[in-house]
Amino acid sequence: MEFLKELEGKRFHDRLNEIKMTTTTTTATPMKKRRSVWVSGPVIVGAGPSGLAVGACLQEKGISSVILERANCIASLWQLKTYDRLRLHLPKKFCELPLMPFPAHFPTYPMKQQFVSYLEDYAAKFNLNPQFNETVVSAEFDKTVGFWRVKTNGLKEDFEYICRWLIVATGENAEEVVPEIEGSDEFVGPIVHTSLYKSGKIYSGKKVLVVGCGNSGMEVCLDLCNYNAMPSLVVRDTVHVLPRELMGKSTFGLSMWLLKWLPVRIVDRLLLVLTWLILGNTSQIGLSRPDLGPLELKGITGKTPVLDVGTLAKIRAGDIKVYPSVKRLTRTSVEFIDGRMEDFDAIIMATGYKSNVPCWLKDKDLFSEKNGLPWKPFPNGWKGENGLYSVGFTKKGLLGSSMDARKIAQDIEEYWKADELKHLCTFTRHSQL
């Protein structure tokens, strides 16, 4: 109702004036000033799948939000930093966002562009219009006025958003992780992170070392083989490799079904027995398994098992060589910790990503400064103090993001309705005077 919006505006008018008077107007460049903006609903930082999910859940409850995104598009990790052959690793029914399923004609494992088109349709359906090219440089709760101050740097203008609720949706994969390796400056070939890798086409005929044996590292090796490159894989730690499907069913889906009836350790044993029958003993090809089962390990550490889509067959055939950790680099070669040395033309770092929350969020209660993840594990890490929330940090993929998005929207709705009732009572009293 319009009169409620008007009352709300009057209610915070004096406080906002106070905030504006104390807001800095200086930035790194003297030509730009930081402009204050009052937001009646939540501010969501990040326009990836998690940010869109919570924005849609809020919109469905009649609560508008402002979504801030540092890139120039939604789902920038998917659109700008993934390889061409990427597909969803899990069946689509486990990856759909709240309130909108995937199109029926999509395959079980949608391709990268199909997933991006789904997200674009999702944003359009719920009228989500992120403000692109706005990088959040700090967000801090101002106890004197009881609101969050979210400062951004934009291409043309800098802003400070004043809001009651702040939702952190930048996710676990905000910044690339590139470990330091002795001799990196000497190596004459390219050293790139997988965020810059698109396909193996430019590596045809080249010897390429892929550092990291997660899903990305395994798939990049397979892709390189398909383009007639000669890849090698660095396996620095133990790893669980499972077939993507067991007995014609998704391994993930089968696991979720079994967990309804059996303890996680029993399910792990069943998975490993079936995996051994299909994939054989992976330790014989340099891929030793951890002591903990794949599901138990995932629950404790968040480390995701690799779902094989053909890479193991290439390793067994000798098309992909397996090496231990890298000790150092020279101009054209790599020395491994077991003493072997091998020449390579290029190195691809499949070493993953990390959260960047500690760089800009001035709050120590919800997120750890060490790893940028919520202190409390799933399912209790979605809510902090003073209207602070997190979505996309569950280590449970899109399924976890969807669960948290619904919780956040429901929680904010309770405050929203309480405010509306308070405003309505105020309006009624004024009308009777």
Side-chain angles (χ1 to χ4, degrees):
M1 291 179 283
E2 290 300 321
F3 72 90
L4 289 179
K5 294 181 180 179
E6 183 178 347
L7 280 174
E8 185 179 59
K10 291 178 180 178
R11 178 188 178 194
F12 296 119
H13 178 73
D14 292 338
R15 286 189 182 180
L16 187 55
N17 280 340
E18 176 187 351
I19 292 170
K20 286 181 177 180
M21 291 184 68
T22 60
T23 299
T24 179
T25 58
T26 60
T27 64
T29 55
M31 298 299 293
K32 294 166 68 178
K33 292 186 177 182
R34 179 165 279 119
R35 187 155 59 89
S36 293
V37 177
W38 164 250
V39 180
S40 60
V43 166
I44 302 170
V45 184
S50 298
L52 298 178
V54 72
C57 289
L58 289 164
Q59 193 79 351
E60 192 253 348
K61 295 180 180 298
I63 304 172
S64 61
S65 61
V66 170
I67 304 177
L68 304 176
E69 171 55 50
R70 63 180 177 177
N72 61 357
C73 60
I74 64 170
S76 61
L77 181 65
W78 277 85
Q79 295 209 58
L80 306 177
K81 297 184 177 183
T82 53
Y83 41 91
D84 295 340
R85 66 161 283 129
L86 179 64
R87 287 176 175 265
L88 290 179
H89 291 120
L90 303 182
K92 61 183 180 182
K93 68 178 181 179
F94 297 111
C95 300
E96 61 189 26
L97 301 187
L99 309 171
M100 182 175 148
F102 279 95
H105 67 274
F106 273 26
T108 302
Y109 301 93
M111 296 181 292
K112 168 183 172 178
Q113 283 306 319
Q114 289 174 317
F115 183 59
V116 170
S117 70
Y118 165 75
L119 295 178
E120 290 173 339
D121 291 343
Y122 189 85
K125 177 179 179 178
F126 295 102
N127 196 30
L128 304 176
N129 299 294
Q131 297 180 198
F132 297 119
N133 298 308
E134 282 204 49
T135 301
V136 174
V137 293
S138 72
E140 185 172 10
F141 185 73
D142 190 333
K143 295 180 180 179
T144 62
V145 293
F147 297 109
W148 287 91
R149 297 173 177 265
V150 183
K151 296 181 180 180
T152 69
N153 286 350
L155 294 179
K156 295 182 179 180
E157 277 191 288
D158 297 339
F159 293 92
E160 181 179 50
Y161 295 90
I162 314 298
C163 58
R164 182 175 175 184
W165 301 285
L166 175 63
I167 302 172
V168 180
T170 48
E172 304 156 353
N173 302 319
E175 303 290 345
E176 297 87 348
V177 173
V178 181
E180 293 184 6
I181 301 177
E182 181 185 345
S184 295
D185 294 339
E186 298 178 32
F187 189 73
V188 295
I191 302 176
V192 300
H193 190 269
T194 47
S195 59
L196 298 175
Y197 178 90
K198 295 304 176 184
S199 81
K201 186 176 182 179
I202 63 172
Y203 298 99
S204 180
K206 305 289 186 182
K207 293 183 66 176
V208 184
L209 182 67
V210 178
V211 181
C213 61
N215 280 296
S216 294
M218 291 284 201
E219 283 205 46
V220 166
C221 278
L222 181 61
D223 191 56
L224 287 165
C225 283
N226 293 339
Y227 281 97
N228 298 313
M230 293 167 281
S232 294
L233 178 67
V234 169
V235 180
R236 298 174 296 171
D237 201 355
T238 55
V239 58
H240 277 299
V241 182
L242 308 177
R244 188 167 68 174
E245 294 188 344
L246 287 167
M247 301 181 296
K249 301 289 185 181
S250 153
T251 300
F252 180 81
L254 180 62
S255 301
M256 294 301 100
W257 182 78
L258 289 172
L259 286 173
K260 293 179 181 179
W261 314 101
L262 300 170
V264 63
R265 290 192 177 184
I266 300 298
V267 176
D268 272 339
R269 288 177 186 175
L270 289 172
L271 289 178
L272 290 176
V273 168
L274 292 171
T275 296
W276 186 84
L277 291 173
I278 296 171
L279 300 181
N281 185 357
T282 58
S283 64
Q284 294 179 346
I285 56 174
L287 302 172
S288 298
R289 295 189 181 278
D291 293 331
L292 293 177
L295 299 183
E296 189 176 7
L297 185 68
K298 170 71 173 175
I300 294 174
T301 68
K303 187 175 181 180
T304 302
V306 173
L307 297 177
D308 181 53
V309 291
T311 307
L312 287 189
K314 294 290 186 180
I315 294 175
R316 284 199 168 92
D319 296 324
I320 300 172
K321 295 181 179 180
V322 175
Y323 288 95
S325 296
V326 174
K327 181 178 180 180
R328 67 184 181 93
L329 308 180
T330 65
R331 291 189 74 255
T332 61
S333 64
V334 177
E335 181 181 353
F336 300 94
I337 59 171
D338 63 358
R340 284 184 289 175
M341 291 195 72
E342 188 75 33
D343 287 341
F344 289 98
D345 299 302
I347 299 174
I348 297 173
M349 306 296 287
T351 44
Y353 297 83
K354 65 180 180 180
S355 164
N356 68 358
V357 173
C359 297
W360 56 270
L361 180 63
K362 313 303 179 184
D363 177 271
K364 308 298 185 294
D365 295 326
L366 182 58
F367 287 89
S368 164
E369 288 185 273
K370 183 178 179 180
N371 60 17
L373 302 177
W375 288 105
K376 297 178 181 178
F378 178 84
N380 302 311
W382 62 277
K383 183 178 181 180
E385 300 293 330
N386 302 315
L388 178 64
Y389 300 91
S390 77
V391 58
F393 296 87
T394 63
K395 297 183 180 180
K396 302 291 183 182
L398 295 171
L399 188 61
S401 293
S402 296
M403 293 170 67
D404 280 355
R406 294 180 187 274
K407 291 179 187 175
I408 293 169
Q410 183 177 352
D411 197 62
I412 292 177
E413 183 188 29
E414 293 178 6
Y415 291 105
W416 189 270
K417 286 183 176 179
D419 277 354
E420 283 189 336
L421 180 61
K422 190 182 298 183
H423 293 166
L424 184 60
C425 291
T426 302
F427 178 80
T428 303
R429 285 200 303 271
H430 287 187
S431 298
Q432 292 173 348
L433 295 177

